[in-house]
Amino acid sequence: MQKNADPNQPETDLPIPFTEFVALGAMLMCLTALSIDIMLPALPRIASEFDLASANDRQLVVFGYLLGLGPGQIVFGPLSDRLGRRPVMLIGLGIYIAASAVALVTESFETLLAARAMQGFGGAAPRTVMIASVRDLFK
């Protein structure tokens, strides 16, 4: 492990160029914000599609995501320390993609909420792993 005196540079050599690392990190970190914000314009349509009784019920789609995100961070953090950053990130992204597919084709609001919770759970992995990777590489 090669030490670098400049605190703005990684402590070890990166396996990819620094700009690619920053771009990858930004994309992985923004997945959570994108997953929440992309649903907001669709909330009225979701309410009409699923014939929701209360206008506030449609907001459960956002809450479901956050419900999965919290425990996901607790699970994926220690798991990435034990198994490595890359495998845990790929597992989380796989869960996220599978849950997205379920949310895309569901005809039940309850299944949509469960799929959104699983999206949040899977989406916690890239966020948690990226924060840990930055902590590993920089002072």
Side-chain angles (χ1 to χ4, degrees):
M1 190 153 128
Q2 177 187 3
K3 294 283 184 182
N4 192 336
D6 185 3
N8 296 323
Q9 295 299 317
E11 290 187 20
T12 61
D13 291 329
L14 290 172
I16 60 175
F18 181 74
T19 54
E20 287 181 33
F21 176 76
V22 171
L24 178 65
M27 285 187 279
L28 291 171
M29 292 294 289
C30 79
L31 184 64
T32 298
L34 178 66
S35 298
I36 293 169
D37 294 345
I38 205 163
M39 296 297 290
L40 298 179
L43 290 180
R45 176 80 186 256
I46 289 171
S48 68
E49 267 313 298
F50 292 109
D51 197 28
L52 300 178
S54 170
N56 287 332
D57 288 347
R58 62 188 179 188
Q59 296 172 17
L60 292 172
V61 173
V62 175
F63 178 70
Y65 186 87
L66 295 174
L67 200 62
L69 183 68
Q73 293 179 66
I74 295 170
V75 169
F76 288 120
L79 206 57
S80 73
D81 289 338
R82 179 172 296 266
L83 301 177
R85 307 288 187 227
R86 188 171 191 265
V88 171
M89 185 181 309
L90 293 176
I91 289 168
L93 288 172
I95 293 169
Y96 180 87
I97 291 168
S100 297
V102 170
L104 181 66
V105 299
T106 187
E107 295 185 14
S108 158
F109 187 64
E110 292 76 18
T111 306
L112 176 64
L113 294 178
R116 288 290 289 167
M118 287 308 296
Q119 271 185 325
F121 184 78
R127 177 177 173 73
T128 305
V129 168
M130 198 61 222
I131 291 170
S133 297
V134 170
R135 184 200 64 215
D136 291 345
L137 294 170
F138 297 91
K139 291 182 181 181

